[in-house]
Amino acid sequence: IQTIKKLRWGESPYVSLNTNIIMTLDLASQEWTTIVEVWDELFKSELGALPAGITAPCCAQFAVTKAAILSHPKAFYEKILNWLLTTSMDTYWTGRILEHTWHVIFGMPAIV
């Protein structure tokens, strides 16, 4: 109920449904290196420069407001989808990239 209230009353455009686990990406980790590799291609045009670091709620289970979704053009999401369908990168890594960036995509700070 607290999660729904946060969204309903405009406290946050994005709320993790796994609020107990926050992952901090080690800048020497494969996750961070992989995000760095694709940031410009996937995210820079909408989200700006690569953040200095990322902490992310675990597991990519979240609720998001309609306004947060509509804050980016449809073409942005289509670009991500097309990349997912055509990249030679292993699906483990493509999933990790999105898991660690959904909150940023939907308007939250990179470091939560």
Side-chain angles (χ1 to χ4, degrees):
I1 292 178
Q2 290 176 341
T3 298
I4 300 302
K5 285 181 180 178
K6 285 181 182 179
L7 290 172
R8 187 173 191 195
W9 299 113
E11 186 179 321
S12 177
Y14 166 101
V15 178
S16 172
L17 300 179
N18 292 299
T19 56
N20 297 350
I21 304 169
I22 301 292
M23 301 174 298
T24 300
L25 296 186
D26 177 345
L27 299 183
S29 71
Q30 181 66 40
E31 282 93 349
W32 180 252
T33 303
T34 305
I35 289 171
V36 169
E37 284 177 24
V38 302
W39 185 271
D40 285 354
E41 177 185 356
L42 290 181
F43 304 121
K44 187 176 182 179
S45 64
E46 279 297 307
L47 305 179
L50 178 71
I54 292 179
T55 60
C58 175
C59 309
Q61 297 168 335
F62 54 87
V64 65
T65 63
K66 178 180 179 180
I69 295 167
L70 295 176
S71 70
H72 301 295
K74 182 179 175 184
F76 174 64
Y77 300 108
E78 290 173 334
K79 178 170 61 172
I80 293 169
L81 176 60
N82 185 57
W83 176 77
L84 288 168
L85 295 173
T86 60
T87 186
S88 60
M89 186 179 289
D90 187 274
T91 58
Y92 173 82
W93 293 111
T94 60
R96 296 294 279 186
I97 289 167
L98 290 174
E99 178 180 6
H100 295 311
T101 57
W102 283 124
H103 69 292
V104 180
I105 291 169
F106 293 124
M108 300 299 289
I111 307 290
V112 294

